[in-house]
Amino acid sequence: MTTSRRGLLRASVAAAAVGTGGITAAGIVASGNNPAHQNQMPSPLRGSAPLQYAQIAALDLISRSHRGDSLHAAHHVIKTMDGGKIAAWLALGESALPASTLRPQHLRQMPAFPGDLLDPAQSHGDLLLQITGTSPKAVQSAIAQALRELPQWRIRWRIDGMRPENRTEDGRGLARNPFHFTEGYGNPATPSGVEERATVTAAQGEPPWAVGGSYQVIRIIRLATDFWDRDTIHEQERIIGRRRNGRWLDGTPSTEQPVFAADPHGRTTPLDAHVRRAAPDRRNPPPLVRRGYNYDHGNGDTGLIFSCFQRDLEKGFEAVQRRLQGEAMAKYALTVGGGYFFVPPPGNAWIDAVGAK
Ligand code: HEM
């Protein structure tokens, strides 16, 4: 795609009305839950694959003087919903935390990265309410019920997501993204691998209430699927750096590691390919866990709700995002929203520290 194509994408995004799309695609559901780890991990990190359908609602406090009560109410609603066919969780924006609280040290408002066109109507928020489930209907009715019970909050933005071909293979949750590529191979295959990359430890110098929680980054990335689909599959695979089915361009199977050092000039896997930029050192994978969804608002407005979890925002998302600058795929993608949030650890201790009334 040329620069003018990107200009077109930017122009159409700027003109597009912000809305939420319906969820239509069906697929295979696999939760892959591991009971031993169930209660120690924040809800979004349990199991190997996220549930197939999601709604994310970013909420703002109506009254800052009722911050404590409002947080308690949200915690209560989510706690009673989480489990069984629904996985539900909260994530705190930096603006939800009172000045007197010890804050997760990296939590701040997500900055605009080069090339971003952040729409305030799809970005940031005091709190994210995230409800995932095995059917669109279950998600919609759970979110409607949660919002009915939370009159202290107003909706800032919301978005529906889905994971076509959602499944677990060799311990990893996989799905098909809007560019027709399988996503999820770069994630850890075991619960302990997920924990190691994604959950905050006491040794990090984080506030005690935050230990066991996770930094969550959301990026609403609009994808120019019409331009993408005009390229050959061969070109697309060179931009991503893997085949659509996950196999590496040098023939290495999807779950094994290629040797990029044997291809120093990028003849087989171009140096600006997505995976080569994202994870150049195959022995030290980026310390983050991706669990995103596709969105489709209709009228060609489709893309990724990129969502990743990490114990350290700088070493996780921010380091990768910096390396991706100038990647070949940049011309087909425009980030229009999202934010930085913190998913509290399981249990009730955090709410007493953060939700002082
Ligand atoms: C523009 C939208 C994006 C698309 C279409 C996309 C697509 C993909 C695909 C197809 C893969 C290979 C399969 C896999 O390992 O899951 C992948 C890997 C990866 N992506 Fe993305 N991605 C996007 C944005 C991002 C962003 C914003 C980040 C983080 C800043 C990111 C980080 C990664 C990482 C860390 C890997 C794993 C690399 C590895 O270990 O080999 N991606 N992505």
Side-chain angles (χ1 to χ4, degrees), residues 15 31 37 53 269 293 338:
S31 72
H37 248 78
Y53 298 95
T269 306
Y293 284 81

Side-chain angles (χ1 to χ4, degrees), residues 32-38 40-41 45-48 171 188-199 289 291:
N33 285 340
N34 174 342
H37 248 78
Q38 280 297 328
Q40 301 142 38
M41 300 279 269
L45 296 169
R46 288 178 205 152
S48 45
T190 60
S192 60
V194 169
E195 190 173 0
E196 196 181 307
R197 290 194 197 180
T199 62
V289 174
R291 295 202 156 186

